[in-house]
């Protein structure tokens, strides 16, 4: 056995095969982490700050992970967590603080003031930037990250010697013996399905529409986000900076990006955001993609020594911007639970992790479903379409005119409704 830093490596051969294929490199760590999205990277960052070592395995390349365009709104509490663990510096410098949001329907654009309603704000800072900050912070801290792995498996998670096995980027078999394993590998990862079906509860809903998202090289036409209801479908005007806009359109679930050349996208956006005295500035698109909409929760979030965090356990439709924030909230709780178990030998927080995390997950699932239902027009084929549209307009008028209703939206949007 040779020892590299804190990691104990063992080379082992099994008989009958050629040496190059036989060598299994095994290592030991305290926490094995599957996935280097925001959940996995932030977990490693928090654990490292508490002196706990971890190893991450990631199926994609570093370049791919850092370039993936996704969320843009970060809750106040999530910013506090990122700041506390040393990855908030650039966010505070380059991020945009938003104290409110606009809700729109034809002839109306009404602002909900978060600060006045519940005393909190949100920050606009792209997940791409946050991921880069996290990768840089981890690599500066000598984090072991195995990029481009394949055949990831979690074994013996319900025993006291759980293991992760995988093939590294060169195809060599490897094994990580862990005290605990964190499944941070997103919706399509392997962690969730390691938990036997017999003990899992799954609640889910698929929506009959998707979001077409564009990143545009044009200054935003608004100071704060606009969530717009329109008979043609929902539209969202967001941004990444004072120079770059991020916009979304509701499209049919079976539609695809090739049907949406730039001209058609900008025309639809102009129609859906139309308001007297206001114009939408168009510009070149830098990226275009389609996101299907679903709500999905798999519980429990723990099985033995395996803990799920983020999209590995739950997905929300993006209306309300909760996905990334839930991932950060999960990881903050999971890190505290692992620190307590590893350093104090106390299992109380790992025992309550799943229930504690799920309280916030269900709250965000409800809010995202509610926002989605209020803002997305039902397909024309829905026999209740006329009724549902009128209910949506009535809901929008109420939530923007009642202080109590507006506070409910503000508390949920900013994440103030539950403690981190
Ligand atoms: P992920 O970011 O999915 O990270 C999981 C990581 O695990 C990935 O890097 C993946 O490559 C890796 N992995 C997967 N399988 C394996 C394996 N077998 N072995 C090793 N590694 C593996 N949220 C919002 O709030 N607003 C948005 O606008 C928004 N847009 C989105 C658009 C898309 C297309 C998607 C997919 C999500 C979007 N989300 C949005 C949700 C948000 O981005 C996620 O909630 C967030 O990324 C969750 O982070 P995570 O680390 O849990 O999972
Ligand atoms: C963004 C995404 C969302 O889902 C949302 O509700 C608000 C903003 C964004 O990508 O900027």
């Amino acid at each position: 056995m040779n020892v590299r830093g804190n990691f104990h490596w063992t080379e082992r051969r099994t008989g009958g095969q050629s040496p190059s294929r036989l060598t299994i490199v095994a290592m030991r760590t305290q926490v094995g982490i599957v996935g280097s999205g925001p959940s996995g990277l932030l977990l490693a960052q928090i654990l490292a700050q508490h002196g706990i070592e971890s190893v991450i395995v990631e199926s994609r390349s570093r370049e791919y992970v850092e370039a993936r365009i996704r969320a843009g709104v970060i809750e106040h509490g999530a910013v506090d967590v990122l700041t506390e663990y040393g990855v908030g510096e650039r966010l505070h410098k380059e991020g945009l603080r938003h104290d409110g949001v606009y809700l729109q329907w034809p002839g109306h654009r009404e602002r909900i003031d978060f600060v006045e309603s519940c005393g909190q704000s949100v920050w606009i800072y792209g997940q791409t930037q946050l991921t880069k900050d996290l990768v840089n912070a981890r690599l500066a801290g000598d984090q072991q990250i195995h990029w481009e792995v394949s055949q990831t498996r979690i074994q013996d998670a319900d025993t006291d010697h759980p293991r992760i096995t995988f093939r590294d980027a060169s195809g060599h078999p490897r094994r990580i013996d862990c005290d605990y394993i964190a499944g941070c590998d997103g919706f399509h990862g392997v962690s969730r399905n390691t938990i036997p079906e017999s003990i899992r509860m799954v609640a889910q809903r698929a929506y009959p529409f998707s979001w077409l998202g564009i990143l545009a090289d044009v200054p935003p036409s608004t100071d704060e986000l606009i969530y717009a209801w329109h008979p043609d479908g929902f539209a969202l005007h967001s941004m990444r900076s004072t120079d770059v806009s991020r916009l979304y359109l509701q499209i049919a679930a079976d539609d695809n990006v090739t049907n949406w050349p730039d001209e058609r996208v900008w025309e639809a956006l102009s129609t859906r955001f139309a308001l007297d005295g206001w114009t939408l500035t168009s510009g070149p698109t830098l990226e275009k993609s389609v996101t299907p909409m679903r709500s999905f929760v798999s519980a429990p979030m723990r099985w033995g020594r395996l803990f799920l965090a983020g999209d590995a356990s739950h997905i929300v439709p993006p209306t309300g911007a909760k996905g990334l924030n839930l991932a950060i909230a999960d990881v903050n709780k999971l890190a505290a639970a692992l620190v307590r178990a590893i350093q104090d030998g106390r299992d109380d927080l790992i025992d309550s992790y799943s229930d504690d995390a799920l309280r916030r997950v269900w709250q965000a699932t409800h809010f995202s479903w509610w926002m989605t239902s209020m803002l997305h027009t039902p397909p024309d084929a829905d026999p209740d379409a006329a009724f549902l549209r009128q209910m949506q307009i009535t809901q929008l008028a109420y939530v923007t005119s009642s202080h109590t209703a507006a506070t409910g939206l503000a508390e949920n949007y900013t994440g103030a409704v539950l403690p981190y």
Side-chain angles (χ1 to χ4, degrees):
M1 175 182 288
N2 39 50
V3 178
R4 297 184 201 160
N6 286 327
F7 304 101
H8 305 270
W9 298 72
T10 318
E11 297 217 331
R12 187 180 294 166
R13 288 183 178 184
T14 50
Q17 297 170 42
S18 71
S20 59
R21 290 184 57 84
L22 290 183
T23 313
I24 295 179
V25 181
M27 61 195 297
R28 238 211 95 66
T29 191
Q30 290 175 295
V31 181
I33 300 176
V34 185
S36 74
S39 303
L41 290 165
L42 180 60
L43 179 62
Q45 175 73 3
I46 302 179
L47 292 174
Q49 304 262 319
H50 287 278
I52 293 174
E53 72 177 33
S54 64
V55 176
I56 302 178
V57 297
E58 163 60 51
S59 55
R60 302 288 194 161
S61 67
R62 176 180 176 184
E63 295 69 33
Y64 182 94
V65 165
E66 289 187 346
R68 218 164 18 196
I69 297 174
R70 288 182 172 176
V73 177
I74 306 189
E75 295 171 357
H76 181 105
V79 171
D80 288 348
V81 172
L82 298 169
T83 307
E84 183 179 351
Y85 292 106
V87 278
E89 198 182 323
R90 201 157 68 95
L91 188 160
H92 283 283
K93 236 186 275 163
E94 297 174 20
L96 306 169
R97 200 190 80 199
H98 281 194
D99 293 340
V101 75
Y102 297 104
L103 295 185
Q104 172 167 341
W105 65 101
H108 301 262
R109 182 175 292 172
E110 309 292 341
R111 181 169 186 265
I112 292 191
D113 188 322
F114 298 151
V115 176
E116 194 246 331
S117 302
C118 69
Q120 294 209 358
S121 308
V122 295
W123 287 77
I124 306 302
Y125 189 66
Q127 183 170 329
T128 322
Q129 304 309 322
L130 176 60
T131 304
K132 283 184 189 148
D133 296 344
L134 284 163
V135 170
N136 287 337
R138 287 323 310 131
L139 294 181
D142 288 334
Q143 175 75 42
Q144 286 254 355
I145 307 181
H146 294 268
W147 304 104
E148 297 182 74
V149 308
S150 56
Q151 299 179 29
T152 314
R153 302 280 177 275
I154 296 169
Q155 294 173 353
D156 297 332
D158 58 338
T159 72
D160 59 5
H161 51 271
R163 300 176 293 166
I164 301 170
T165 58
F166 61 100
R167 297 254 168 176
D168 67 19
S170 314
H172 293 121
R174 285 181 176 256
R175 194 183 82 219
I176 309 174
D177 298 319
C178 315
D179 293 332
Y180 298 95
I181 296 177
C184 300
D185 48 352
F187 187 67
H188 300 288
V190 294
S191 301
R192 184 177 63 254
N193 292 324
T194 304
I195 304 179
E197 253 178 47
S198 56
I199 64 159
R200 283 205 291 132
M201 183 283 291
V202 170
Q204 61 184 318
R205 181 185 179 92
Y207 300 87
F209 35 76
S210 297
W211 275 16
L212 174 77
I214 64 158
L215 193 67
D217 191 11
V218 60
S221 304
T222 177
D223 57 341
E224 292 175 335
L225 272 56
I226 308 170
Y227 287 81
W229 182 98
H230 189 275
D232 290 357
F234 168 72
L236 169 61
H237 193 328
S238 182
M239 59 195 77
R240 286 292 173 271
S241 67
T242 49
D243 297 322
V244 176
S245 299
R246 177 82 170 144
L247 300 114
Y248 298 95
L249 283 171
Q250 174 187 347
I251 61 171
D254 58 359
D255 206 347
N256 70 63
V257 84
T258 56
N259 294 327
W260 289 89
D262 286 10
E263 229 170 71
R264 183 178 177 206
V265 170
W266 285 110
E267 204 179 297
L269 288 166
S270 295
T271 303
R272 298 185 196 186
F273 287 122
L275 192 73
D276 279 351
W278 182 87
T279 42
L280 176 69
T281 312
S282 61
T285 60
L286 305 169
E287 192 258 0
K288 209 181 277 171
S289 58
V290 171
T291 306
M293 308 275 280
R294 66 161 79 83
S295 300
F296 177 96
V297 180
S298 170
M301 292 171 68
R302 175 206 180 175
W303 184 53
R305 285 175 176 252
L306 168 65
F307 299 83
L308 304 182
D311 280 16
S313 183
H314 41 75
I315 296 277
V316 287
T319 336
K322 289 289 150 231
L324 173 60
N325 292 297
L326 273 184
I328 294 173
D330 285 355
V331 158
N332 193 43
K333 290 188 181 71
L334 178 54
L338 292 172
V339 170
R340 178 108 101 197
I342 290 168
Q343 292 184 339
D344 302 340
R346 291 176 57 192
D347 282 353
D348 55 335
L349 292 184
I350 60 172
D351 287 343
S352 64
Y353 167 70
S354 180
D355 288 344
D356 290 348
L358 282 166
R359 255 189 297 282
R360 192 179 198 91
V361 168
W362 284 120
Q363 184 67 36
T365 300
H366 178 272
F367 177 64
S368 307
W369 162 79
W370 177 75
M371 284 281 280
T372 301
S373 308
M374 175 170 69
L375 287 160
H376 293 74
T377 45
D380 289 336
D382 187 329
D384 297 332
F387 172 79
L388 291 172
R389 286 171 193 208
Q390 193 51 52
M391 292 301 98
Q392 292 174 319
I393 299 293
T394 304
Q395 177 73 77
L396 283 161
Y398 177 60
V399 82
T400 52
S401 60
S402 153
H403 186 263
T404 309
T407 301
L409 188 148
E411 279 182 347
N412 278 282
Y413 196 94
T414 59
V417 71
L418 283 172
Y420 257 71

